[in-house]
Amino acid sequence: QIYVNSAHPGAVATDLGRHVLDRLVAFGIPEKYVVKAFDFIMSFYSLTPYEGGLTQLYLAVSPEVEEKNIRGEYFVPIARNATAHPYPFGYT
């Protein structure tokens, strides 16, 4: 049987934020201030890479997914079923 679900990993503390930083620096904001502000803000909201992988891991190997016949659902950290907005970013 095939079980298809969608998982949002959340804001994970990885090096992917460098792309955001590059854009802010391009606006002329000194890099040291951008990095400090970004790191400070993300320290409150970001998950560790370990935590960020738990939702995907749950959906991939948990016997509960098959036992409860979980299909076509949307999951957010950490392995919580949620309702996805029908129009992401307000686009219709």
Side-chain angles (χ1 to χ4, degrees):
Q1 295 205 23
I2 297 174
Y3 296 85
V4 178
N5 293 289
S6 177
H8 188 300
V12 182
T14 64
D15 199 26
L16 289 175
R18 71 185 183 278
H19 300 295
V20 173
L21 296 176
D22 291 344
R23 289 187 176 199
L24 292 174
V25 171
F27 283 110
I29 303 171
E31 185 174 358
K32 68 179 181 177
Y33 297 121
V34 173
V35 171
K36 285 182 182 181
F38 189 78
D39 287 347
F40 178 74
I41 293 167
M42 291 305 290
S43 70
F44 292 103
Y45 299 104
S46 63
L47 302 169
T48 66
Y50 172 82
E51 293 167 328
L54 290 176
T55 302
Q56 290 84 335
L57 189 61
Y58 166 77
L59 291 172
V61 301
S62 174
E64 191 174 81
V65 173
E66 187 175 358
E67 290 166 4
K68 293 184 176 180
N69 196 31
I70 299 173
R71 297 167 187 253
E73 299 293 332
Y74 175 66
F75 285 80
V76 296
I78 295 176
R80 292 179 296 134
N81 196 325
T83 302
H85 192 283
Y87 303 111
F89 306 109
Y91 297 117
T92 58

